[in-house]
Amino acid sequence: MLSLRSLLAGTLRREDMGDWALFAASWLRKCTGRVMLNPHRLSPLSSSSRAICGLSAKRRGIIQRKMTENGVTSRRGKVLTIDTMNPSVKKVEYAVRGPIVQRALQIEKELKEGAKKPFSEVIKANIGDAHAMGQRPITFFRQVLALCSYPELLDDPSFPEDAKSRARRILRSCGGGSIGAYSASQGIDCVRQDVARYIERRDGGIPSNPDNIYLTTGASDGIVMMLKLLVAGEGKSRTGVMISIPQYPLYSAALAELGAVQINYYLNEEQCWSMDISELRRSLAAARQHCNPRALCIINPGNPTGQVQSRQCIEDVIRFAAEEHLFLMADEVYQDNVYAEGCQFHSFKKVLFEMGPEYSSKVELASFHSTSKCYMGECGFRGGYMEVINMDPQVKDQLTKLASVRLCPPVPGQALMDLVVNPPRPDEPSYDKFLKERSATLNALAEKAKLTEQILNTVPGITCNPVQGAMYSFPRISMPEKAVREAKEKGQAPDMLYCLRLLEETGICLVPGSGFGQRDGTYHFRMTILPSTDKLKILLDKVKDFHLRFTQQYS
Amino acid sequence: MLSLRSLLAGTLRREDMGDWALFAASWLRKCTGRVMLNPHRLSPLSSSSRAICGLSAKRRGIIQRKMTENGVTSRRGKVLTIDTMNPSVKKVEYAVRGPIVQRALQIEKELKEGAKKPFSEVIKANIGDAHAMGQRPITFFRQVLALCSYPELLDDPSFPEDAKSRARRILRSCGGGSIGAYSASQGIDCVRQDVARYIERRDGGIPSNPDNIYLTTGASDGIVMMLKLLVAGEGKSRTGVMISIPQYPLYSAALAELGAVQINYYLNEEQCWSMDISELRRSLAAARQHCNPRALCIINPGNPTGQVQSRQCIEDVIRFAAEEHLFLMADEVYQDNVYAEGCQFHSFKKVLFEMGPEYSSKVELASFHSTSKCYMGECGFRGGYMEVINMDPQVKDQLTKLASVRLCPPVPGQALMDLVVNPPRPDEPSYDKFLKERSATLNALAEKAKLTEQILNTVPGITCNPVQGAMYSFPRISMPEKAVREAKEKGQAPDMLYCLRLLEETGICLVPGSGFGQRDGTYHFRMTILPSTDKLKILLDKVKDFHLRFTQQYS
């Protein structure tokens, strides 16, 4: 199991190593004055080595102490190892930037270095990164950001007046008139006021209070902050949070990190990924056996599934949350991304207030928005906001405190958020151009959503729900038994095998459905609709050919 | 204790309310069909009401169940209350933006509304927010940021060529050539390369690997990520982290939130806030009785204490960390802020490698830097980086995964970080102006550091160590017994009473030493040296007058 020779030679492998061996080695070292071990090979007692040296905890304790007394600690190898790090962090998974994306980056490198591949470029359809896929920024937004960054440009006649007035207003509300100053932790006052007014316009006049607006570092930041507040209890009373399956993996990742219980409710693929209250009830009842369900998360329009929820469905969900005493978290970052005819975005807040005081005075709701999606797609600025409704004032103070520890969200992102909620008005010089740019982007997305659904549904073995909104298709793929077996043997999810093969053979980077969750025995992938129409057509044809080839090879 | 009348009238106050009362109320409601209670007044069983209704846990459990059976849950009031929220978050404190700052904002409002005060403006010397205190941004940095935000400006002849070439290089490395695209989670490649080269120049050629550089959302983000990785174990084996007292409260806040054990080691005020290895040993030995100390945090130059550590001291600390098997976290965000003669910044990494392979091959170190301090003071952009040395490769993968869940640090902040580590070179057109602006800022800070120390030390009852570096003075104030008693009666820290009085009487906003930690029976405040020289003089004179008045009043 462990040879003295290997010990003397210092060729001991990490996995053969237990603390007792280090202890022995340290003594040998003291006798011979020679270092027998490469410290890089050593690690604190790992589960494997524990199994190997198989000592009682007590015995190990004694050795640990002896080692410390003998100053061997410093030869114990690294302080921080995979065995001694935060176990909750190890549980975190994030498929959108997971192994498949790592491999894609590797392949790009190989191509740069002249490697021969059956394709000339990697097409990344794995992440909702509009600008990376060639979408142009809104001119007005960038003009204002340039003016805020370098106010000397306020004297430049080539900048439109409305851009300058926006920049002046933002700068006036920054400490020292600079976006380089910290803002209030909750966000710049005038930006929060503009957000509140935007929400009121969006929701047909239902009032919004700037004190309930928190500017955030993208929507993710707000979602994580809210989950942080909600997590409490141990064992059976540990906080559980209901999330849709398929989900956006930020939720599972945050819950794993916080050690909260993830409660899955399944979307109804047959009904275009709609939400069933009966499924919510099933999932909640099951969860109540082992945890304390306290919150319900909804993504509308849906990521990765692209559905747009009906007003009726939202009303039912709110009633369910009220009855079951659940805190509602509405991820509404795709609120401008609605394409399908007859579909319309309804904010949870609007529906909540239209349901009357019995609900609007009671149901606790946090709604999230971002600068990263919709028609602007400004992911890199990490701008966002959340609005909290019916939040306990003392909890709100705690939320503000929590925000203050991180000092403030990035101010350029706050400025951008302000422009999103306060774009050029019809009477302003930049209005026409703004409208033209916004419509062009949204129309192109609508066209690509239709195109994606149509082409994918022509492929035998692929069925794709209509992409009603958001930026993704999440088609179901039939997987030959042989492929499933091979994947299982490799310890891979079958759709991971599928996507890896697709990447290697075509250079197309998609995310396997297993990264978002799906009903057992079903397989999917998520593909963004962001590539240019021409590129998207090529991409879809390549997927088609690959799927036929793949199915054939495994039949 | 609880009258049926108040119950019927619905005038019951929250603090008089226990679950059993809600239960009763719900039954009354069922009988009468009238809502007896304003749901806003209700909350789940609070500690106070627990005391009041004084039921056994068992009895309460029965009632809870009965309530659920009877569907009363939805009338239980809020899901998320101060009693049911995350207890770790409640423990978090952050003095730099604590009650005193809240009051300062309030006073500013009152002034705006025309309230009569003995002062016309609030001077915020509570936070290291250079631009808010009137410091101008570096022109070159802002030119490049404007070019990155609005690339159309690349054709504008009024921008210098070196600014344009920096902008082009950054944009080339962004997806789709836009800072609106997500970057790699670890940060933009070329920025990480520039950071590595900067570190090599700074540390006299000691190699730095871009793979060890992580760009962050300010330094705070990196510090929290590292602490997250380190936290593990329960009870006596729970991770403990050594932090200096006085400390920057981000550390105590993050440790409280993560449920890690805070291990205090005291800086030596008599020796200009230096670190004593003997004190480190004392603190570590005490901690080993009840937790598992795994990391040692150092802030150099010091916040809030402004000391600059000697090379010898750093060497001793590294040796201590190696012997005691501790992970080193070096907060070096003030590395350009060194003013005192004979003082010099030594990076922990440089000293570590100069100590030879026995240490440089073994000691695990994370070092943090930021765009927020030094001569640029660009806090609002939330830019920063961390370099990890000797980190276990598997842990590094976990760190990268953790970073990827937040997608990426703000790209404008990454661009700014790039400019900080890659400023104009002597052969470039912007060099002279850059140098002039940087020197002006650093010289002014040096002058104000001296001025602060000198004036404060003229005040009987105030003793101030030299402000060798960073941006703060942390003078010790003698507190009359009467004042201490009054504070204790009010349940306030004595220096909180002092700072609140100072704020009300003079409009000067400082942070009490108790917010940073200090030896029992000693009292301090933290004051930034950032106000303009003229303003600083006025401020210091006002502090002087106040202190004399305060001492007199309480003698």
Side-chain angles (χ1 to χ4, degrees):
Chain A
M1 166 197 71
L2 171 86
S3 77
L4 183 61
R5 184 180 292 103
S6 65
L7 194 58
L8 285 160
T11 58
L12 207 55
R13 275 170 310 121
R14 188 167 176 278
E15 52 273 24
D16 299 336
M17 177 67 61
D19 278 12
W20 66 278
L22 304 192
F23 182 51
S26 71
W27 278 112
L28 282 166
R29 183 183 175 289
K30 290 202 172 175
C31 312
T32 64
R34 273 180 53 212
V35 180
M36 300 300 173
L37 300 165
N38 170 348
H40 288 291
R41 291 225 187 79
L42 311 190
S43 77
L45 201 59
S46 71
S47 48
S48 53
S49 58
R50 203 176 298 119
I52 290 162
C53 67
L55 296 168
S56 72
K58 179 151 174 285
R59 180 87 190 97
R60 283 203 304 274
I62 293 162
I63 288 177
Q64 288 275 7
R65 269 194 302 288
K66 267 195 116 49
M67 287 173 63
T68 320
E69 289 157 15
N70 291 287
V72 185
T73 29
S74 61
R75 268 177 293 289
R76 272 219 319 251
K78 303 229 178 270
V79 175
L80 186 58
T81 68
I82 197 74
D83 298 316
T84 63
M85 68 173 281
N86 186 333
S88 305
V89 171
K90 271 190 278 187
K91 292 201 196 93
V92 169
E93 285 179 14
Y94 192 69
V96 176
R97 292 197 159 193
I100 197 126
V101 183
Q102 301 308 319
R103 178 57 190 148
L105 294 171
Q106 215 171 14
I107 291 177
E108 271 185 330
K109 233 185 197 162
E110 292 168 19
L111 283 172
K112 271 207 197 97
E113 292 157 359
K116 287 267 155 296
K117 304 262 177 196
F119 48 87
S120 58
E121 64 163 340
V122 172
I123 305 178
K124 292 210 201 70
N126 60 294
I127 185 167
D129 191 355
H131 290 197
M133 299 311 288
Q135 183 180 310
R136 306 300 312 144
I138 298 288
T139 304
F140 179 78
F141 292 178
R142 295 308 195 89
Q143 286 172 329
V144 178
L145 288 166
L147 290 161
C148 290
S149 304
Y150 190 51
E152 283 77 353
L153 290 168
L154 286 163
D155 306 326
D156 183 333
S158 69
F159 281 81
E161 269 317 308
D162 47 0
K164 289 181 180 178
S165 63
R166 291 289 194 298
R168 284 198 197 90
R169 179 155 175 275
I170 292 165
L171 289 172
R172 266 200 310 276
S173 57
C174 292
S178 166
I179 58 171
Y182 289 120
S183 77
S185 303
Q186 198 171 344
I188 298 171
D189 282 355
C190 81
V191 178
R192 291 190 292 112
Q193 286 155 17
D194 289 349
V195 168
R197 281 194 221 102
Y198 159 82
I199 293 171
E200 288 174 349
R201 288 197 307 276
R202 183 197 68 188
D203 292 344
I206 292 160
S208 171
N209 180 351
D211 292 346
N212 292 339
I213 307 297
Y214 288 75
L215 299 182
T216 57
T217 307
S220 309
D221 177 43
I223 291 165
V224 171
M225 270 201 291
M226 265 317 305
L227 291 173
K228 235 178 230 174
L229 292 175
L230 281 159
V231 174
E234 289 307 329
K236 278 193 163 193
S237 57
R238 186 64 173 171
T239 292
V241 176
M242 301 179 72
I243 64 172
S244 61
I245 299 296
Q247 58 129 2
Y248 174 55
L250 166 70
Y251 290 90
S252 50
L255 293 174
E257 198 187 307
L258 292 166
V261 179
Q262 173 179 329
I263 305 171
N264 298 338
Y265 66 86
Y266 289 88
L267 300 174
N268 186 338
E269 182 164 16
E270 286 59 41
Q271 300 296 320
C272 194
W273 298 116
S274 62
M275 270 173 93
D276 291 346
I277 299 303
S278 57
E279 166 60 11
L280 288 177
R281 292 200 190 292
R282 178 206 63 76
S283 144
L284 183 66
R288 285 225 163 102
Q289 304 305 313
H290 59 87
C291 72
N292 175 21
R294 303 185 66 199
L296 169 57
C297 302
I298 303 98
I299 311 175
N300 177 51
N303 175 9
T305 39
Q307 80 283 15
V308 177
Q309 266 148 21
S310 69
R311 195 188 175 295
Q312 183 56 53
C313 170
I314 292 171
E315 202 172 313
D316 297 342
V317 169
I318 291 172
R319 200 168 285 108
F320 173 80
E323 285 164 8
E324 301 297 346
H325 205 242
L326 297 169
F327 191 109
L328 275 175
M329 290 176 58
D331 181 338
E332 299 176 322
V333 299
Y334 297 97
Q335 53 191 266
D336 295 335
N337 299 108
V338 177
Y339 317 118
E341 279 188 18
C343 284
Q344 192 192 334
F345 171 73
H346 304 276
S347 79
F348 266 74
K349 185 193 177 189
K350 181 166 190 279
V351 176
L352 174 65
F353 277 74
E354 287 171 352
M355 287 168 73
E358 191 195 343
Y359 294 93
S360 62
S361 66
K362 191 172 64 188
V363 175
E364 295 151 81
L365 168 69
S367 153
F368 307 91
H369 197 15
S370 159
T371 59
S372 303
K373 311 301 171 186
C374 300
Y375 61 90
M376 51 280 182
E378 295 275 13
C379 313
F381 281 82
R382 315 305 301 120
Y385 76 73
M386 75 175 153
E387 183 185 29
V388 293
I389 309 291
N390 291 323
M391 180 176 268
D392 180 296
Q394 290 174 290
V395 175
K396 215 158 151 293
D397 293 344
Q398 295 288 323
L399 173 59
T400 308
K401 179 186 73 179
L402 200 55
S404 75
V405 176
R406 291 301 198 81
L407 296 161
C408 71
V411 175
Q414 295 188 49
L416 185 55
M417 192 76 247
D418 185 65
L419 303 170
V420 169
V421 296
N422 185 21
R425 291 179 295 271
D427 59 338
E428 293 183 311
S430 301
Y431 181 72
D432 294 342
K433 186 169 194 181
F434 166 73
L435 204 65
K436 206 161 133 287
E437 291 176 340
R438 185 181 65 177
S439 316
T441 302
L442 290 175
N443 295 339
L445 285 170
E447 183 196 10
K448 291 186 280 187
K450 198 103 201 88
L451 189 74
T452 305
E453 174 199 351
Q454 283 168 343
I455 298 184
L456 286 174
N457 280 321
T458 64
V459 186
I462 295 185
T463 51
C464 182
N465 271 319
V467 182
Q468 298 174 328
M471 295 178 167
Y472 318 97
S473 67
F474 196 71
R476 181 167 177 173
I477 48 179
S478 66
M479 193 73 68
E481 250 325 300
K482 241 173 90 187
V484 174
R485 269 201 310 282
E486 181 179 317
K488 295 249 160 83
E489 282 155 17
K490 288 183 174 170
Q492 263 175 356
D495 46 21
M496 173 63 90
L497 171 97
Y498 182 97
C499 289
L500 279 170
R501 286 280 306 274
L502 177 71
L503 175 63
E504 298 292 345
E505 293 180 24
T506 68
I508 298 169
C509 180
L510 307 180
V511 189
S514 44
F516 303 90
Q518 55 200 349
R519 286 203 181 270
D520 289 345
T522 70
Y523 308 104
H524 303 77
F525 58 74
R526 186 184 83 163
M527 185 182 114
T528 72
I529 59 169
L530 294 173
S532 66
T533 310
D534 305 349
K535 222 175 208 171
L536 187 63
K537 281 182 184 153
I538 299 166
L539 184 149
L540 288 162
D541 288 338
K542 283 184 166 187
V543 170
K544 185 176 186 168
D545 299 345
F546 169 80
H547 185 82
L548 299 174
R549 206 163 55 246
F550 182 89
T551 314
Q552 206 168 28
Q553 283 171 347
Y554 282 100
S555 314
Chain B
M1 168 194 72
L2 173 85
S3 78
L4 184 60
R5 184 179 292 102
S6 66
L7 195 58
L8 285 159
T11 58
L12 207 55
R13 273 168 312 120
R14 188 168 178 281
E15 50 274 23
D16 300 336
M17 178 67 61
D19 277 15
W20 66 277
L22 304 192
F23 182 51
S26 70
W27 278 112
L28 282 166
R29 183 182 175 288
K30 287 200 174 175
C31 313
T32 64
R34 272 180 54 212
V35 180
M36 300 300 174
L37 300 166
N38 170 349
H40 287 292
R41 292 227 185 78
L42 311 189
S43 79
L45 200 58
S46 73
S47 48
S48 53
S49 57
R50 204 176 295 123
I52 290 162
C53 66
L55 296 167
S56 73
K58 179 152 174 287
R59 179 90 189 95
R60 283 203 304 274
I62 293 162
I63 288 176
Q64 288 275 6
R65 268 194 304 288
K66 268 194 118 46
M67 287 172 62
T68 319
E69 288 155 15
N70 292 286
V72 185
T73 28
S74 61
R75 268 176 297 286
R76 273 218 320 250
K78 303 230 179 269
V79 175
L80 188 58
T81 69
I82 196 74
D83 298 315
T84 63
M85 67 173 281
N86 187 332
S88 306
V89 171
K90 272 190 278 187
K91 292 201 197 93
V92 169
E93 285 178 13
Y94 192 68
V96 176
R97 291 196 160 195
I100 197 127
V101 183
Q102 302 308 318
R103 178 56 190 150
L105 295 170
Q106 215 171 13
I107 291 177
E108 271 185 329
K109 234 185 194 162
E110 293 168 20
L111 284 171
K112 269 204 197 98
E113 293 157 358
K116 288 266 156 295
K117 304 261 178 197
F119 49 87
S120 58
E121 65 163 338
V122 172
I123 304 178
K124 292 211 202 68
N126 61 293
I127 185 167
D129 191 355
H131 289 197
M133 300 310 289
Q135 183 181 310
R136 307 300 311 144
I138 298 288
T139 304
F140 179 79
F141 292 178
R142 295 307 197 92
Q143 286 173 328
V144 178
L145 288 166
L147 290 161
C148 290
S149 304
Y150 190 51
E152 284 77 353
L153 290 169
L154 286 164
D155 306 327
D156 182 333
S158 69
F159 281 81
E161 269 316 309
D162 46 1
K164 289 181 179 177
S165 63
R166 292 288 194 298
R168 285 199 196 89
R169 178 156 175 274
I170 291 165
L171 289 172
R172 265 201 310 275
S173 58
C174 293
S178 166
I179 58 172
Y182 290 120
S183 77
S185 304
Q186 199 171 343
I188 299 172
D189 282 356
C190 80
V191 177
R192 291 190 291 110
Q193 286 155 15
D194 289 348
V195 168
R197 283 195 219 100
Y198 159 82
I199 292 171
E200 288 173 349
R201 287 197 307 277
R202 183 197 69 188
D203 293 344
I206 292 160
S208 171
N209 180 349
D211 292 345
N212 292 339
I213 307 297
Y214 288 75
L215 300 183
T216 56
T217 307
S220 309
D221 176 44
I223 292 165
V224 171
M225 269 201 290
M226 266 316 307
L227 291 173
K228 235 177 229 174
L229 291 175
L230 281 159
V231 175
E234 289 308 328
K236 279 194 162 192
S237 57
R238 187 64 173 171
T239 292
V241 176
M242 301 180 71
I243 63 171
S244 62
I245 299 295
Q247 58 129 2
Y248 173 55
L250 166 70
Y251 290 90
S252 50
L255 293 174
E257 199 188 307
L258 292 166
V261 180
Q262 173 180 327
I263 305 171
N264 298 339
Y265 66 87
Y266 289 89
L267 300 175
N268 186 339
E269 182 164 16
E270 287 59 39
Q271 302 295 321
C272 193
W273 299 115
S274 62
M275 270 173 94
D276 290 347
I277 299 303
S278 57
E279 165 60 11
L280 288 177
R281 291 200 191 291
R282 179 207 61 77
S283 146
L284 183 66
R288 285 223 164 104
Q289 305 305 313
H290 59 87
C291 72
N292 175 20
R294 302 186 68 199
L296 169 57
C297 301
I298 303 98
I299 311 175
N300 177 52
N303 175 10
T305 39
Q307 81 282 16
V308 176
Q309 266 148 21
S310 70
R311 196 189 173 295
Q312 183 56 53
C313 169
I314 293 170
E315 202 173 312
D316 296 343
V317 170
I318 292 172
R319 201 169 284 108
F320 172 80
E323 285 164 7
E324 301 297 347
H325 205 242
L326 297 168
F327 191 109
L328 274 175
M329 290 176 59
D331 181 338
E332 299 176 322
V333 299
Y334 297 99
Q335 53 191 265
D336 295 335
N337 299 107
V338 177
Y339 317 118
E341 278 188 19
C343 284
Q344 192 192 334
F345 171 73
H346 304 276
S347 79
F348 266 75
K349 185 193 176 188
K350 181 166 191 280
V351 176
L352 174 64
F353 277 74
E354 287 171 351
M355 288 168 72
E358 192 196 344
Y359 293 93
S360 63
S361 68
K362 191 173 62 189
V363 176
E364 295 151 81
L365 168 69
S367 153
F368 307 91
H369 196 16
S370 160
T371 59
S372 303
K373 310 301 172 187
C374 299
Y375 62 89
M376 50 281 181
E378 295 275 13
C379 313
F381 280 82
R382 315 306 299 120
Y385 75 73
M386 76 174 152
E387 182 185 29
V388 294
I389 308 291
N390 291 324
M391 180 177 267
D392 180 297
Q394 290 174 289
V395 175
K396 214 157 151 294
D397 294 344
Q398 295 288 324
L399 174 59
T400 307
K401 180 186 73 181
L402 199 56
S404 75
V405 176
R406 290 301 198 82
L407 295 161
C408 70
V411 175
Q414 295 187 48
L416 185 54
M417 192 76 247
D418 186 65
L419 302 170
V420 169
V421 296
N422 185 20
R425 290 179 296 269
D427 60 337
E428 293 182 312
S430 302
Y431 180 72
D432 294 343
K433 185 170 195 181
F434 165 74
L435 205 64
K436 207 161 132 286
E437 291 176 340
R438 186 180 64 178
S439 316
T441 302
L442 290 176
N443 295 340
L445 285 170
E447 181 195 15
K448 292 186 280 188
K450 198 104 200 89
L451 189 73
T452 305
E453 175 199 350
Q454 283 168 344
I455 297 184
L456 286 175
N457 280 323
T458 64
V459 186
I462 296 185
T463 51
C464 182
N465 270 320
V467 182
Q468 298 174 327
M471 295 178 169
Y472 317 96
S473 67
F474 196 71
R476 181 167 177 173
I477 48 178
S478 67
M479 193 74 69
E481 252 322 302
K482 241 172 93 185
V484 174
R485 268 201 309 283
E486 180 179 319
K488 295 248 159 84
E489 283 155 15
K490 289 183 174 173
Q492 261 175 358
D495 46 21
M496 173 63 89
L497 172 97
Y498 181 97
C499 289
L500 278 170
R501 285 281 306 274
L502 177 72
L503 176 62
E504 298 291 344
E505 293 180 23
T506 67
I508 297 169
C509 181
L510 307 180
V511 189
S514 46
F516 304 90
Q518 55 199 351
R519 284 200 182 273
D520 289 345
T522 70
Y523 308 104
H524 302 77
F525 59 73
R526 187 184 83 163
M527 185 182 114
T528 72
I529 58 170
L530 293 173
S532 66
T533 310
D534 305 349
K535 222 175 208 171
L536 187 64
K537 281 182 185 153
I538 299 167
L539 183 149
L540 288 163
D541 289 338
K542 283 184 168 190
V543 171
K544 184 177 187 167
D545 299 345
F546 170 80
H547 186 82
L548 299 174
R549 206 162 56 244
F550 183 88
T551 315
Q552 205 167 31
Q553 284 171 350
Y554 283 99
S555 314

